[in-house]
Amino acid sequence: MTTDWKSVRLFPIPSVIYLIHNNVQFATLMYVDTSTYQIMGNLKIVTTGILFRLFLKKKLSNLQWMAIVLLAVGTTTSQVKGCGEASCDSLFSAPIQGYMLGILSACLSALAGVYTEFLMKKNNDSLYWQNIQLYTFGSIFNMARLVVDDFRGGFEKGPWWQRLFNGYSITTWLVVLNLGSTGLLVSWLMKYADNIVKVYSTSMAMLLTMVLSVFLFSFKPTLQLFLGIIVCMMSLHMYFAPPHMLVDIPPAIKSDPESLVNVPVDRKTDS
């Protein structure tokens, strides 16, 4: 458990990034519809790969870059609705501010993830101690934001801590428990795997949710969903499979030592 201030002072940075990212997400929804928002959210797959390469100096092969792009295409394809289900005119017809905020949200999400991975792997501290530092600063900054909102509103609804659990139900607590557990699992991925594995797990979870919705909520599967799942599976195989399984690499031919011929070389010496 490193308690040196030089190490602890790094943890507020991702907390601030996540705070800004969460607020940018809400601002984005003010300009774009939910379908456009979901599709633009897939940009974080590509931005994560770019920042993963630039900041963590992790080299990716050409096949892996192609796999990351395919993953973004596959998840986007699965979310596109036909013209019969939603108005085609409403898709990508938002103001330019919405698209700019969507790109900013994708970049902030990738930056926060890559920086968190850097912190998790920076030393051999306990994962739970690192989580305590990360979420403590996150709680502090979010409480500060709530106080600022109270001052702006003139405390008309009272201080934030008096209405913190207003409207909570069993379902709400289950959602909180689910998100908390997900956060712990993501921290394990950051510590012992990397951001690309996290991106793939998130994308596959999204596709699994769509499939389960067919049975639980009578969701009608679409051609786009099946195509998206196929493309994502191809991407998964391309990224993690050994290169020799994807490309036909000719076997190295070993020369027979007995077939080697000694070639004499005349050496001239200057007198």
Side-chain angles (χ1 to χ4, degrees):
M1 292 174 57
T2 303
T3 56
D4 182 27
W5 171 244
K6 292 183 179 180
S7 177
V8 175
R9 69 182 180 181
L10 299 176
F11 283 87
I13 298 176
S15 302
V16 173
I17 298 175
Y18 278 119
L19 174 63
I20 298 174
H21 172 249
N22 291 337
N23 285 274
V24 169
Q25 283 183 307
F26 285 107
T28 305
L29 286 170
M30 295 174 61
Y31 294 98
V32 302
D33 56 77
T34 53
S35 299
T36 305
Y37 174 78
Q38 286 182 322
I39 293 173
M40 291 182 62
N42 295 320
L43 288 174
K44 66 183 178 183
I45 297 174
V46 179
T47 55
T48 298
I50 295 173
L51 296 181
F52 184 76
R53 174 68 181 90
L54 293 177
F55 291 154
L56 299 182
K57 307 298 182 183
K58 300 293 183 67
K59 188 176 181 180
L60 300 176
S61 66
N62 292 336
L63 281 175
Q64 289 177 321
W65 279 115
M66 291 173 61
I68 290 175
V69 174
L70 270 181
L71 180 64
V73 172
T75 52
T76 301
T77 301
S78 67
Q79 294 168 346
V80 172
K81 296 182 179 180
C83 294
E85 301 176 30
S87 175
C88 293
D89 297 332
S90 64
L91 196 62
F92 297 115
S93 59
I96 186 65
Q97 296 94 323
Y99 302 120
M100 297 301 294
L101 288 172
I103 295 173
L104 176 61
S105 176
C107 293
L108 288 173
S109 176
L111 179 61
V114 170
Y115 191 86
T116 301
E117 180 182 343
F118 164 75
L119 287 182
M120 292 296 182
K121 295 179 177 177
K122 185 174 180 292
N123 52 40
N124 293 323
D125 280 1
S126 167
L127 176 64
Y128 303 106
W129 169 239
Q130 292 175 322
N131 276 332
I132 289 173
Q133 297 176 83
L134 185 64
Y135 291 114
T136 297
F137 285 111
S139 299
I140 291 173
F141 287 121
N142 280 280
M143 285 189 291
R145 171 60 193 270
L146 290 173
V147 171
V148 171
D149 289 342
D150 283 343
F151 274 103
R152 287 180 176 177
F155 290 91
E156 292 181 358
K157 300 180 181 179
W160 63 268
W161 57 84
Q162 291 184 358
R163 45 188 167 83
L164 183 62
F165 299 108
N166 287 354
Y168 269 55
S169 63
I170 297 297
T171 303
T172 311
W173 283 110
L174 289 176
V175 170
V176 173
L177 179 62
N178 180 33
L179 293 176
S181 302
T182 302
L184 292 176
L185 291 174
V186 168
S187 66
W188 277 87
L189 286 178
M190 296 291 192
K191 184 78 169 179
Y192 302 110
D194 54 49
N195 266 278
I196 303 299
V197 176
K198 170 182 171 289
V199 165
Y200 270 96
S201 63
T202 303
S203 300
M204 295 304 163
M206 179 189 65
L207 294 175
L208 179 61
T209 301
M210 293 182 179
V211 173
L212 291 177
S213 298
V214 174
F215 302 98
L216 298 178
F217 306 110
S218 300
F219 173 75
K220 294 182 179 179
T222 61
L223 176 62
Q224 294 92 321
L225 175 60
F226 288 115
L227 291 176
I229 292 176
I230 293 173
V231 173
C232 287
M233 290 302 176
M234 293 172 58
S235 169
L236 183 68
H237 181 66
M238 283 181 62
Y239 189 89
F240 292 103
H244 65 82
M245 293 182 61
L246 304 172
V247 182
D248 291 332
I249 302 176
I253 301 176
K254 296 184 178 180
S255 301
D256 186 3
E258 296 180 357
S259 65
L260 296 179
V261 179
N262 293 325
V263 179
V265 178
D266 295 333
R267 295 184 180 180
K268 295 182 179 180
T269 56
D270 296 333
S271 59

